[in-house]
Amino acid sequence: QVQLVESGGASVQTGGSLRVSCVVHGFTSDDYVIGWFRQAPGKELEGISCIWRGDGSSRYGESVRGRFTISRDNTRNTVFLQMNNLEPEDTAVYRCAALRITPWLSLNPTDYGDWGQGTQVTVAG
């Protein structure tokens, strides 16, 4: 059974750092992309970063480029999102998702088929 489990969300102060994790379970193929998305109250789901499990190539959205770093540890089937210099506008539920059918570095949530439940990140001003 395919499952993605996020962890690491917390409340931090403006300018602080946080690392969230996404553990992937039950995939039979190594060819997939993991994306990180976030949704703030009253706002649409936003794609912020993604990474290819195979070669580690990645992509970032404009709002997080230069502050967030995505990485993966294939030995633990885990993808990390390191978030630095956090701002109140980063407050959201952060969710990871997998793109397995014709994978590519997409930040469009409609391309992703398997989703985690999310982890809350709150940045206090």
Side-chain angles (χ1 to χ4, degrees):
Q1 181 180 354
V2 171
Q3 189 178 22
L4 294 92
V5 181
E6 304 94 335
S7 63
S11 295
V12 297
Q13 295 294 313
T14 297
S17 297
L18 195 63
R19 188 178 79 165
V20 292
S21 303
C22 172
V23 180
V24 178
H25 300 279
F27 284 16
T28 59
S29 169
D30 293 337
D31 189 20
Y32 57 85
V33 169
I34 296 295
W36 278 102
F37 300 83
R38 66 185 182 185
Q39 189 162 26
K43 294 189 177 181
E44 292 185 355
L45 193 61
E46 176 190 8
I48 56 176
S49 187
C50 58
I51 189 167
W52 204 300
R53 184 193 187 279
D55 66 5
S57 55
S58 60
R59 181 183 176 189
Y60 296 90
E62 287 293 330
S63 63
V64 303
R65 187 174 295 128
R67 299 188 299 125
F68 291 11
T69 302
I70 194 169
S71 62
R72 90 269 193 241
D73 181 345
N74 289 342
T75 64
R76 293 193 282 165
N77 291 326
T78 302
V79 172
F80 304 100
L81 185 68
Q82 176 68 42
M83 304 181 289
N84 297 329
N85 195 21
L86 284 162
E87 305 165 350
E89 292 74 22
D90 296 314
T91 294
V93 174
Y94 284 69
R95 300 177 69 187
C96 63
L99 174 54
R100 295 190 286 157
I101 300 175
T102 315
W104 67 287
L105 291 174
S106 170
L107 293 179
N108 185 343
T110 63
D111 288 331
Y112 288 75
D114 304 288
W115 290 82
Q117 291 299 308
T119 187
Q120 176 71 45
V121 172
T122 302
V123 184

